[in-house]
Amino acid sequence: NGNVCDGFQNQKLSTSFRYRHVVKDRRPSMVESGTFLGASSSSSGGTKRKVKKSVQDRSQEETASLIRDVVEAAVQAGPRAGPARTFQAYLAITRTLQDFSPFGNAETFSAPVALRKLFERLGATYIKLGQFVASSPSLFPKEYVLEFQKCLDATEPLPWSVIKDVIESELGPISKNFASIDQTPLASASIAQVHAARLETGEDVVIKVQKPRIDESLKADLNFIYIASRIVEFLQPDFERTSLSAVAGDIRQSMLEELD
């Protein structure tokens, strides 16, 4: 049941991203306009070559705009984001290597399984990327698409003690509101974890719990991706034709909206 968490929504979003990437800011390509970068820009009588726009051609306004974006992204992510994500990446890589270590009861190495586990341990942003792989069979090998299906609703769940703290911090003691809560989750995905429960009145319900501090990691990762794309376009103006930063900005906005 991919709709229990956010797998189904991710499939719609990934389609939306691809659609917007195609239709947004559509400009004639260099082939369509009759010229190639670095090739002669005139007919048989021409003597000039078309000059590429370089970073030296950037205006002060463009430079100031990039600096504002970098500062804004750093403020949104917060001072702890960089060190915290670096430490999480270290733990994720270490645990994944241990799973396939030749010492002890190691698993048989499988590239799709290893990559999926690494994505899950790196957190929400990478789980979202895994969901994109799972919903794009025309772009990725079948074995990766099948393995990354687990990112839709079967990621490694958070311990019950963590989920319990979140529930009680927002709703009060569990005993006052629920007759019981199943500690084993029905589903777990990038942003939330779902548990079956029963109210004191006898009604069966499900509780969707947003994973703690997920907003910090998402903002850190998505802002990094957006700023990286802005810097690439700034340094290599030819990349602007791909609308790379526009696509990254759309993804950032849509994923952060899911936190509400």
Side-chain angles (χ1 to χ4, degrees):
N1 186 359
N3 197 28
V4 169
C5 282
D6 51 5
F8 178 69
Q9 185 175 8
N10 179 72
Q11 290 177 335
K12 295 189 293 182
L13 285 173
S14 62
T15 303
S16 175
F17 295 151
R18 291 196 294 269
Y19 176 75
R20 276 182 284 184
H21 178 57
V22 171
V23 303
K24 187 173 183 178
D25 195 21
R26 181 69 170 94
R27 302 170 184 154
S29 67
M30 300 310 295
V31 175
E32 292 169 337
S33 62
T35 60
F36 288 87
L37 292 178
S40 175
S41 60
S42 59
S43 58
S44 58
T47 57
K48 294 183 178 180
R49 296 170 65 85
K50 186 173 181 65
V51 180
K52 284 185 179 181
K53 187 180 181 183
S54 67
V55 67
Q56 284 79 16
D57 298 322
R58 291 296 190 185
S59 66
Q60 291 184 353
E61 289 79 8
E62 290 174 312
T63 303
S65 175
L66 175 62
I67 293 174
R68 283 195 301 270
D69 283 350
V70 172
V71 172
E72 181 181 346
V75 171
Q76 287 183 355
R80 297 182 304 171
R85 292 299 285 145
T86 301
F87 182 66
Q88 184 179 5
Y90 167 76
L91 292 179
I93 294 171
T94 301
R95 285 185 60 194
T96 304
L97 290 176
Q98 289 174 345
D99 286 344
F100 301 97
S101 170
F103 306 101
N105 298 322
E107 300 179 35
T108 302
F109 179 77
S110 166
V113 173
L115 194 60
R116 190 262 304 166
K117 285 190 171 188
L118 180 61
F119 274 31
E120 288 182 359
R121 290 163 179 167
L122 284 172
T125 308
Y126 293 87
I127 294 174
K128 283 291 185 185
L129 293 176
Q131 292 175 348
F132 176 73
V133 173
S135 60
S136 305
S138 61
L139 299 178
F140 300 97
K142 181 179 179 181
E143 58 270 25
Y144 284 85
V145 172
L146 292 175
E147 182 63 31
F148 277 91
Q149 293 287 328
K150 296 176 182 177
C151 289
L152 297 176
D153 60 4
T155 63
E156 290 187 15
L158 291 179
W160 165 246
S161 59
V162 175
I163 297 299
K164 179 182 177 182
D165 287 344
V166 175
I167 294 173
E168 293 191 327
S169 67
E170 297 194 16
L171 301 180
I174 286 178
S175 59
K176 289 187 176 181
N177 298 290
F178 302 95
S180 64
I181 298 180
D182 188 349
Q183 298 183 15
T184 302
L186 291 173
S188 176
S190 60
I191 292 176
Q193 190 163 305
V194 179
H195 289 259
R198 177 167 293 172
L199 300 179
E200 290 287 353
T201 57
E203 297 169 283
D204 290 325
V205 297
V206 292
I207 310 171
K208 185 174 183 180
V209 184
Q210 187 176 106
K211 296 178 178 179
R213 294 180 297 279
I214 200 70
D215 56 334
E216 295 178 7
S217 61
L218 269 179
K219 288 177 181 177
D221 291 345
L222 295 172
N223 282 329
F224 172 78
I225 293 171
Y226 175 70
I227 292 302
S229 65
R230 288 278 284 115
I231 292 174
V232 168
E233 288 184 347
F234 186 86
L235 297 177
Q236 182 50 267
D238 286 340
F239 285 4
E240 286 185 339
R241 295 186 292 113
T242 67
S243 298
L244 185 63
S245 63
V247 173
D250 282 347
I251 294 174
R252 179 179 65 165
Q253 180 180 351
S254 296
M255 287 182 66
L256 291 180
E257 285 176 354
E258 291 186 41
L259 293 175
D260 186 352

